[in-house]
């Protein structure tokens, strides 16, 4: 792309599965205003939501959930099976985050080739 660029990455949520509160809505609304303003000024804009938080924190949450719900530990699974469980959990909450952004009508890039303009 030629021309000026303007990029914002939305920091990942600190707690997966929680719904955003008013502070999140305000922060993302202000970012949305900045991105739309730059678009009107003919900038090449990118506003990308960060949905994947720190791997160790994610692993810990999944381990606690499996222990509470199934009474199993990560060592009860093969590495491949456990990684798939973490990925499935991450995918579920990533969809929640993206859904919340879309419900607010925000202009975000939700994938390499997808732009959602609410």
């Amino acid at each position: 792309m030629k021309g000026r660029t303007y990029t914002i990455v939305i920091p990942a949520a600190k707690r997966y599965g929680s719904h955003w509160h008013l502070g999140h809505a305000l922060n993302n609304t202000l970012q949305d205003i900045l991105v739309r303003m730059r678009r009107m000024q003919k900038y090449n804009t990118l506003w990308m939501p960060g949905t994947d938080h720190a791997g160790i924190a994610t692993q810990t949450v999944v381990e606690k959930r499996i222990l509470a719900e199934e009474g199993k530990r990560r060592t009860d699974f093969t590495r491949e099976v456990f990684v798939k469980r973490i990925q499935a959990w991450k995918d579920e909450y990533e969809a929640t985050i993206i859904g919340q952004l879309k419900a607010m009508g925000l202009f975000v890039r939700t994938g390499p080739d997808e732009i959602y303009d609410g």
Side-chain angles (χ1 to χ4, degrees):
M1 283 185 161
K2 291 186 177 185
R4 299 175 297 179
T5 60
Y6 186 79
T7 303
I8 296 178
V9 178
I10 303 170
K14 293 191 189 227
R15 292 181 301 145
Y16 274 82
S18 62
H19 292 282
W20 285 358
H21 54 66
L22 192 56
H24 291 113
L26 173 62
N27 181 42
N28 285 286
T29 299
L30 295 174
Q31 291 179 33
D32 184 63
I33 291 167
L34 292 171
V35 170
R36 288 176 188 266
M37 179 185 72
R38 293 298 187 193
R39 271 184 76 211
M40 289 187 289
Q41 294 171 340
K42 307 297 183 201
Y43 279 71
N44 295 315
T45 62
L46 172 62
W47 189 32
M48 172 90 60
T51 57
D52 188 12
H53 204 266
I56 293 171
T58 300
Q59 178 180 331
T60 301
V61 170
V62 173
E63 284 185 45
K64 287 179 181 179
R65 177 186 260 187
I66 291 172
L67 183 61
E69 293 176 359
E70 302 173 26
K72 295 182 179 180
R73 301 189 179 280
R74 72 181 156 110
T75 55
D76 295 328
F77 302 93
T78 65
R79 183 183 194 296
E80 294 76 24
V81 169
F82 188 66
V83 168
K84 284 182 182 178
R85 297 283 299 264
I86 292 172
Q87 183 66 44
W89 185 83
K90 197 269 310 177
D91 291 346
E92 176 185 344
Y93 289 101
E94 178 178 65
T96 299
I97 292 167
I98 298 298
Q100 290 170 344
L101 291 168
K102 288 180 177 183
M104 289 177 61
L106 303 178
F107 182 85
V108 296
R109 183 178 297 272
T110 56
D113 299 319
E114 179 184 350
I115 293 178
Y116 179 80
D117 186 3

